[in-house]
Amino acid sequence: MPERTTPRSSYHHGDLRAQLIAAVAELVETHGPDGFSVAEAARRAGVSSAAPYKHFKDRPELLRAVASAGMDRLRDAMETAAARHRAGSYESVAAIGQAYVDFARAGPGVFRLVFGLTEGHDGDPHLEGKGAACFGVVLRAVAAVLERSPDDPIVRIRAYALWTFVHGHSFLTIDRKTKGKFELQDEWAFLMQVSASILGGH
Amino acid sequence: MPERTTPRSSYHHGDLRAQLIAAVAELVETHGPDGFSVAEAARRAGVSSAAPYKHFKDRPELLRAVASAGMDRLRDAMETAAARHRAGSYESVAAIGQAYVDFARAGPGVFRLVFGLTEGHDGDPHLEGKGAACFGVVLRAVAAVLERSPDDPIVRIRAYALWTFVHGHSFLTIDRKTKGKFELQDEWAFLMQVSASILGGH
DNA sequence: TTACATAAGTTAGCGACACTTACTTTGCAA
DNA sequence: TTGCAAAGTAAGTGTCGCTAACTTATGTAA
């Protein structure tokens, strides 16, 4: 466990904000969302325990920044995954779902943070905007399949149905509630089948 | 905000364990999972801050007890809901889902606790058993619809698909990510449609 | 180049909390 | 009645969140 990633030569750190976010993301992953402390993150970045408060108002704001960064990575992963398939194909939709699940599996702590943070942080417009952007990726993919506008209610409700499915599967997966019900290749088949079933439904 | 529910007459409390669990459940609901403190719970129960440690090893064990009690209530609600409909009907399955969502909406904090606790509390056999019992309710209902054994792989996978759907919808609902996509009566129709679609699928 | 406002660090300290230890009160069983 | 274990208390330790007051570096304007 590295006490400090890059030893500091000067009085000023230069990259503290980003390093704090990274440290917290790591801590959340290993010690759980409540098992992290601002002090410990500061220690890892090699600064005093008061330094973080020059960059973040308080502990929740730091957590929110981690969640925000996580959402950026999630949206990026979804977009990349979708782009690997023909627009309008079931595969493109399933791939988005696969990226979602993979993201959750790769960082359960951050994933939980991203989707469990609305608790005390109600209605942060910044975070809500990023959430909407993520949903937008799904909307566009579904719209392409159905050959309709992303604003069409039918598109929205089917996209939502897909989202709930994938979201639930992700959560149950990282909570280990699945207990060997699915193997890796089965998961892709599962996602494809669900996508087709929801998008092809009458 | 009541400082103490039932004033204590004797030195011994008599019902501290249960009152602590109730106090924590309330605190989790209002202040979030990390916004509660053992000290505050003790204060509400009218005892010293050291008293809880006569009943619970540490903070996580107290949280686990709250989650465990929550799971009991959830399973009970699911069973009650299922019993209100004919065994083998789609309604019985949808009703289980509705009970699940209602439970989440009624107590988002506890719900999140129940399904987010596997984080640091990996593999508590007690909790896992209760989780399996909840899934058992779904399994039996699905088995009745499909007229197969609850151990049949087909039953298990369809029950799992339903679970992911309802679970995802619950989470997105309490996270307010739905933003007026569904009204109350629409939700029942949604659950019925999904149940029929998954259980009636080829 | 130099002056200086400001950004970004520091130490010191307060109150709260998790948890321990040692002590006290009480109910119950022999 | 006595004695013991269960269940409470008070006091203390180390950590944490956060603030206040201070110091150091940096970029800009004269």
Side-chain angles (χ1 to χ4, degrees):
Chain A
M1 43 193 76
E3 283 259 322
R4 208 193 296 168
T5 314
T6 50
R8 200 159 34 122
S9 52
S10 60
Y11 184 86
H12 283 324
H13 188 289
D15 191 33
L16 183 53
R17 192 189 151 91
Q19 276 200 24
L20 281 175
I21 291 179
V24 168
E26 201 183 309
L27 283 170
V28 162
E29 224 47 79
T30 57
H31 296 81
D34 46 344
F36 109 95
S37 71
V38 175
E40 175 66 21
R43 222 168 287 133
R44 296 216 175 182
V47 295
S48 78
S49 62
Y53 296 95
K54 297 291 174 181
H55 296 269
F56 303 96
K57 184 176 140 286
D58 53 13
R59 191 179 186 277
E61 188 172 299
L62 176 49
L63 269 180
R64 242 174 295 150
V66 174
S68 178
M71 269 192 158
D72 287 341
R73 283 188 295 124
L74 173 58
R75 200 205 45 193
D76 194 61
M78 289 165 77
E79 275 171 352
T80 303
R84 266 199 279 269
H85 299 271
R86 183 177 56 80
S89 65
Y90 287 159
E91 279 84 0
S92 69
V93 174
I96 291 175
Q98 183 74 63
Y100 198 93
V101 179
D102 287 343
F103 177 83
R105 219 175 344 239
V110 172
F111 180 79
R112 239 189 283 269
L113 197 67
V114 165
F115 288 102
L117 212 57
T118 14
E119 194 75 24
H121 314 251
D122 303 295
D124 177 346
H126 195 248
L127 265 183
E128 281 190 13
K130 298 207 172 182
C134 284
F135 189 56
V137 178
V138 182
L139 271 183
R140 282 193 295 277
V142 171
V145 172
L146 300 182
E147 293 179 329
R148 288 164 177 267
S149 155
D151 296 327
D152 189 317
I154 291 186
V155 169
R156 297 190 78 88
I157 204 165
R158 304 239 169 143
Y160 178 75
L162 279 167
W163 183 294
T164 60
F165 223 121
V166 171
H167 188 74
H169 176 50
S170 300
F171 250 102
L172 293 174
T173 295
I174 63 179
D175 283 349
R176 295 192 191 82
K177 297 245 187 310
T178 62
K179 283 278 175 92
K181 285 194 188 70
F182 296 106
E183 310 292 328
L184 268 177
Q185 60 266 49
D186 288 335
E187 186 171 68
W188 174 252
F190 180 66
L191 289 169
M192 274 297 288
Q193 191 176 336
V194 165
S195 302
S197 152
I198 291 180
L199 295 180
H202 60 97
Chain B
M1 44 193 77
E3 282 260 320
R4 207 193 297 167
T5 314
T6 51
R8 199 159 37 124
S9 53
S10 61
Y11 184 85
H12 284 324
H13 188 288
D15 191 32
L16 184 53
R17 192 189 152 89
Q19 276 201 24
L20 282 175
I21 292 180
V24 169
E26 201 183 310
L27 284 170
V28 162
E29 224 49 77
T30 58
H31 296 81
D34 45 343
F36 108 95
S37 72
V38 175
E40 175 66 19
R43 222 169 288 134
R44 295 215 175 184
V47 295
S48 77
S49 63
Y53 296 95
K54 296 292 174 180
H55 296 270
F56 303 96
K57 184 175 139 288
D58 53 13
R59 192 179 186 276
E61 187 173 300
L62 177 48
L63 269 181
R64 240 175 297 152
V66 175
S68 177
M71 269 193 158
D72 286 341
R73 283 189 294 123
L74 173 58
R75 199 205 46 193
D76 195 60
M78 291 165 76
E79 276 172 350
T80 303
R84 267 200 276 271
H85 299 270
R86 185 176 55 80
S89 64
Y90 286 160
E91 279 85 359
S92 69
V93 173
I96 291 175
Q98 183 72 63
Y100 198 93
V101 179
D102 288 343
F103 177 83
R105 218 174 343 238
V110 171
F111 179 78
R112 237 189 284 270
L113 197 66
V114 165
F115 288 102
L117 212 57
T118 15
E119 193 74 26
H121 314 253
D122 302 295
D124 177 346
H126 195 248
L127 265 184
E128 281 190 12
K130 297 206 173 183
C134 283
F135 190 55
V137 177
V138 182
L139 271 183
R140 281 193 297 277
V142 170
V145 172
L146 300 182
E147 294 179 326
R148 289 164 177 266
S149 155
D151 296 327
D152 188 318
I154 292 187
V155 170
R156 298 191 76 88
I157 204 166
R158 304 238 168 144
Y160 177 76
L162 279 166
W163 184 293
T164 61
F165 222 121
V166 170
H167 188 75
H169 176 51
S170 300
F171 250 101
L172 292 174
T173 296
I174 65 178
D175 282 349
R176 294 192 192 80
K177 299 245 188 305
T178 62
K179 282 280 175 94
K181 285 193 189 67
F182 296 107
E183 311 292 328
L184 268 178
Q185 62 265 49
D186 288 336
E187 187 171 66
W188 174 252
F190 181 66
L191 289 168
M192 275 297 288
Q193 191 177 335
V194 166
S195 301
S197 151
I198 290 179
L199 296 179
H202 61 95

